[in-house]
């Protein structure tokens, strides 16, 4: 029996330089897709997968992110008095049970592996999830839940994965596949951002379920690609130690909200997925397409 996964780490310390000037004063995780900040999508996905403890690895300037999860008493009272129950219900999703949320500071930007390692005392000897908020995934059931279900069968560590074009592999962690079982692949190695000869086209996407031994591997604080401490390397160390690592080809669509084009695509997809916006938004998009065709 694999142990239940109830803790998740959200590395949110990044500077978000790709979204300057917006990120000069707001954390990128607060940037809004339709009407919810990116972080809310990740939290909702984690909750749906049964996560009970939420660990944020933050940095200087992320105050707005911490505030987002506080109860907004004044606002809630006003809404209550005016009978706006639907809005109160919306806000309920942003609230966290007392003690369910922890913030740890990453004092220096030393890479994703280092950010995860900062949370080591909070996860102790349990398997844990990691969610990267830049990767927004539209899927049913949500991606992390698919992984929890697959992980209950396989044990070990698991990363979300999808096929990417060969010329894009250098932007990702890439899997070296030992055995392809369809949705699940057993991995024999992982390479972070290979400059050449990627071992496959299967890229690591920002959802992980990791054995506690991955934290021990991170204790070495070994520098990897780009001089940073890489989570990918600590997962690869599991294989060297004879422990199993899997990739799950999740069902769903992933948007790279760390890039402007990806964020715009996600805005279209999530906008169209909203019942109350769909018709009007689709009309507009069709007009835009027709106009741009006519202009060609
Ligand atoms: C991180 C990981 C990489 C993974 C990617 C997924 O890279 O290091 O292995 O493929 O997220 O989005 P980043 O995009 O933060 O450079």
């Amino acid at each position: 029996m694999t142990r239940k996964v109830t803790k998740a780490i959200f590395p949110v310390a990044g500077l978000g330089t790709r979204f300057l000037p917006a990120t000069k004063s707001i954390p990128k995780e607060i940037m809004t897709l339709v009407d919810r900040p990116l972080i809310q999508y990740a939290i909702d996905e984690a909750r749906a997968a049964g996560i009970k403890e939420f660990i944020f690895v933050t940095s200087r300037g992320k105050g707005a992110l911490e505030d987002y999860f506080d109860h907004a008493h004044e606002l809630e009272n006003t809404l209550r008095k005016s009978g706006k129950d639907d809005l109160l219900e919306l806000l309920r999703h942003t609230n966290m049970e007392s003690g369910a949320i922890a913030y740890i500071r990453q004092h220096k930007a030393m890479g994703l592996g280092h950010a995860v390692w900062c949370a080591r005392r909070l996860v102790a000897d349990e398997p844990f999830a990691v969610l990267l908020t830049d990767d927004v995934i539209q899927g049913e059931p949500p991606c992390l839940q698919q992984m929890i279900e697959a992980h209950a069968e396989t044990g070990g560590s698991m990363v979300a994965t999808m096929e990417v074009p060969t010329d894009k592999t250098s932007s990702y962690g890439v899997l070296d596949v030992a055995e392809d079982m369809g949705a699940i692949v057993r991995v024999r190695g992982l390479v972070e951002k290979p400059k050449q000869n990627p071992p496959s086209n299967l890229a690591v996407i920002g959802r992980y379920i990791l054995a506690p031994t991955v934290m021990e591997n991170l204790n070495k604080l070994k520098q990897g690609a780009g001089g940073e401490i890489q989570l990918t390397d600590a997962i690869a160390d599991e294989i060297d130690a004879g422990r199993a690592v899997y990739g799950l080809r999740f069902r769903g669509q992933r948007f790279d909200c760390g890039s402007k084009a990806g964020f715009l695509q996600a805005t279209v997809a999530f906008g169209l997925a909203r019942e109350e916006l769909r018709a009007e938004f689709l009309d507009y998009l069709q007009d835009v397409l027709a106009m741009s065709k006519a202009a060609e």
Side-chain angles (χ1 to χ4, degrees):
M1 252 291 279
T2 50
R3 228 169 129 176
K4 230 173 155 207
V5 184
T6 59
K7 295 181 178 176
I9 301 176
F10 301 82
V12 291
L15 288 175
T17 47
R18 283 197 281 180
F19 278 97
L20 280 168
T23 46
K24 187 179 161 201
S25 67
I26 53 161
K28 69 171 172 177
E29 298 78 15
I30 292 285
M31 292 198 352
T32 308
L33 209 47
V34 188
D35 54 6
R36 290 187 287 162
L38 288 185
I39 191 69
Q40 184 75 52
Y41 289 87
I43 293 284
D44 287 348
E45 186 180 329
R47 274 201 181 121
I51 297 298
K52 303 280 181 245
E53 289 181 52
F54 303 80
I55 303 163
F56 292 83
V57 183
T58 68
S59 61
R60 183 193 294 264
K62 298 281 176 166
L65 183 62
E66 301 191 12
D67 294 346
Y68 178 75
F69 295 106
D70 286 345
H71 285 255
H73 293 292
E74 221 173 305
L75 174 62
E76 285 174 25
N77 282 338
T78 313
L79 294 174
R80 202 166 294 119
K81 276 190 204 136
S82 47
K84 302 232 160 87
D85 293 343
D86 47 340
L87 295 180
L88 275 171
E89 177 58 20
L90 254 185
L91 282 184
R92 208 174 52 78
H93 291 277
T94 68
N95 294 338
M96 287 284 186
E97 210 185 301
S98 296
I101 191 161
Y103 301 99
I104 294 273
R105 277 267 190 140
Q106 185 188 24
H107 294 101
K108 254 175 149 179
M110 292 170 70
L112 178 60
H114 180 262
V116 168
W117 180 74
C118 288
R120 65 199 175 281
R121 295 202 174 83
L122 292 172
V123 303
D125 62 349
E126 292 174 40
F128 58 98
V130 178
L131 291 94
L132 307 187
T133 50
D134 276 356
D135 284 330
V136 177
I137 301 173
Q138 219 175 19
E140 199 42 54
C143 181
L144 192 66
Q145 194 179 330
Q146 295 177 34
M147 291 176 73
I148 297 261
E149 284 163 16
H151 180 259
E153 305 281 319
T154 61
S157 291
M158 180 174 277
V159 300
T161 187
M162 69 178 219
E163 248 102 25
V164 298
T166 307
D167 64 341
K168 294 279 185 299
T169 48
S170 60
S171 306
Y172 296 93
V174 179
L175 303 184
D176 187 356
V177 175
E179 191 185 353
D180 196 332
M181 298 168 276
I184 298 176
V185 298
R186 196 167 54 77
V187 173
R188 96 172 115 228
L190 296 95
V191 190
E192 180 66 12
K193 307 204 168 89
K195 290 206 173 79
Q196 56 209 3
N197 305 325
S200 76
N201 282 44
L202 280 177
V204 176
I205 300 304
R207 300 289 183 278
Y208 307 77
I209 297 177
L210 300 176
T213 38
V214 172
M215 278 292 186
E216 289 169 26
N217 303 342
L218 285 169
N219 280 334
K220 289 183 249 163
L221 297 177
K222 190 173 68 185
Q223 279 187 11
E228 295 191 336
I229 296 160
Q230 298 292 353
L231 185 58
T232 302
D233 294 342
I235 301 170
D237 285 351
E238 286 293 276
I239 302 166
D240 296 340
R243 290 184 286 265
V245 175
Y246 301 91
L248 177 72
R249 290 189 176 97
F250 56 93
R251 299 180 303 282
Q253 184 157 12
R254 171 258 186 178
F255 298 92
D256 174 12
C257 287
S259 80
K260 286 171 205 169
F263 204 105
L264 289 170
Q265 288 158 19
T267 301
V268 173
F270 281 83
L272 289 176
R274 294 282 283 269
E275 194 82 37
E276 73 278 22
L277 297 173
R278 187 178 164 80
E280 187 182 345
F281 192 32
L282 195 57
D283 269 355
Y284 169 72
L285 291 175
Q286 277 159 347
D287 284 352
V288 172
L289 277 183
M291 276 190 290
S292 81
K293 280 223 179 87
E296 268 169 21

